[in-house]
Amino acid sequence: MNTEREALAGLLKKYEVPFTDADLEVSVPLQPWRCRRKYIELKKLLSGETLEHPCLLRSCRLSHPDTSLEELLYREFDLAEFISGHRITALHAAFTDGRSGSVIIKLDNGIIGSIEVGNLLPDGENEVDRHEIVARRGVASDIAVDTQIPQQSIYLMTREGSECFTDTDSELFGLDNDRTDLVRARFAFIKDRSQAEWHVAQDKHLKAAVAAAMESNNTQKKIVL
């Protein structure tokens, strides 16, 4: 499949979901990373009480210069709320030259979160994406313990260089993780539009949290949301 639009249309036809061409252009702001399996499994570990008495969330997202810190923070703030099932109520941020930094967040159940972001990766380097839950009894991570760089499924090394391949969705081969998430999120939305208002409200909340992080960096003060 070459494009997200073609992949989405294919899924809708496969599962006999009625749609028009206009439906393929979803205008509601979505949070597509919520469809990724590894984040769903982390959420289950908390909601199912496999981890007892969680006290700390840690995440790291390192990307390339064409991705702004605001975009990275928007995503990580939403993932913190999705995985924990709780809202961010306060934060304190510190950034360096608008290219990297960290944010300490507090959730409405008292859990503290540490978020590291940066957009200094050179071209050709895979993004670094790591999330961890620390509890009084148990620790969970979406990559292998002590791993700094996420592993790929297949490594192809030739005289011309090396390539990596990782397909995580059996119905969407050929799409990278971000594009796969987007197709799945749009598919779920077209099947059930009842969450449209929630997505809009969450988008507004996350943008306010990102703006608060920028204010916190400028004022060097904690911001209560």
Side-chain angles (χ1 to χ4, degrees), residues 158-185:
T158 68
R159 294 177 180 177
E160 287 74 32
S162 61
E163 291 185 81
C164 300
F165 302 90
T166 300
D167 281 294
T168 58
D169 192 311
S170 61
E171 294 179 309
L172 298 173
F173 283 116
L175 298 181
D176 61 28
N177 287 332
D178 290 339
R179 295 167 69 197
T180 296
D181 293 343
L182 184 59
V183 171
R184 282 294 176 188

Side-chain angles (χ1 to χ4, degrees), residues 33-210:
W33 36 82
R34 289 180 174 231
C35 295
R36 192 170 302 189
R37 175 55 55 185
K38 67 176 185 176
Y39 305 141
I40 294 173
E41 294 303 323
L42 281 180
K43 180 179 179 65
K44 287 181 179 178
L45 290 175
L46 279 185
S47 61
E49 299 185 349
T50 301
L51 299 176
E52 298 182 9
H53 307 294
C55 53
L56 176 65
L57 303 179
R58 293 195 297 196
S59 70
C60 176
R61 179 75 174 183
L62 305 180
S63 190
H64 305 96
D66 58 353
T67 303
S68 67
L69 283 191
E70 287 85 352
E71 292 174 279
L72 296 173
L73 291 172
Y74 181 102
R75 180 183 187 276
E76 293 308 313
F77 287 164
D78 186 61
L79 279 174
E81 295 191 345
F82 172 67
I83 293 170
S84 69
H86 292 272
R87 300 272 281 188
I88 297 172
T89 59
L91 56 81
H92 192 290
F95 306 123
T96 301
D97 299 328
R99 303 297 304 278
S100 63
S102 62
V103 183
I104 303 299
I105 62 172
K106 183 178 181 180
L107 302 176
D108 59 18
N109 64 343
I111 292 179
I112 299 299
S114 171
I115 299 173
E116 299 176 27
V117 292
N119 59 5
L120 293 166
L121 288 182
D123 291 339
E125 288 290 331
N126 291 319
E127 291 186 326
V128 175
D129 182 62
R130 184 175 71 250
H131 299 81
E132 185 178 24
I133 305 168
V134 179
R136 292 182 182 177
R137 183 178 178 185
V139 176
S141 175
D142 59 0
I143 61 176
V145 177
D146 293 332
T147 299
Q148 296 297 317
I149 300 175
Q151 295 178 327
Q152 304 297 320
S153 298
I154 299 174
Y155 294 87
L156 175 63
M157 301 178 184
T158 68
R159 294 177 180 177
E160 287 74 32
S162 61
E163 291 185 81
C164 300
F165 302 90
T166 300
D167 281 294
T168 58
D169 192 311
S170 61
E171 294 179 309
L172 298 173
F173 283 116
L175 298 181
D176 61 28
N177 287 332
D178 290 339
R179 295 167 69 197
T180 296
D181 293 343
L182 184 59
V183 171
R184 282 294 176 188
R186 288 176 174 172
F187 174 69
F189 178 76
I190 292 172
K191 282 181 62 180
D192 178 11
R193 297 176 181 271
S194 64
Q195 295 298 305
E197 291 186 5
W198 180 89
H199 283 293
V200 172
Q202 181 68 357
D203 176 68
K204 181 179 179 180
H205 163 66
L206 293 172
K207 287 179 177 177
V210 171

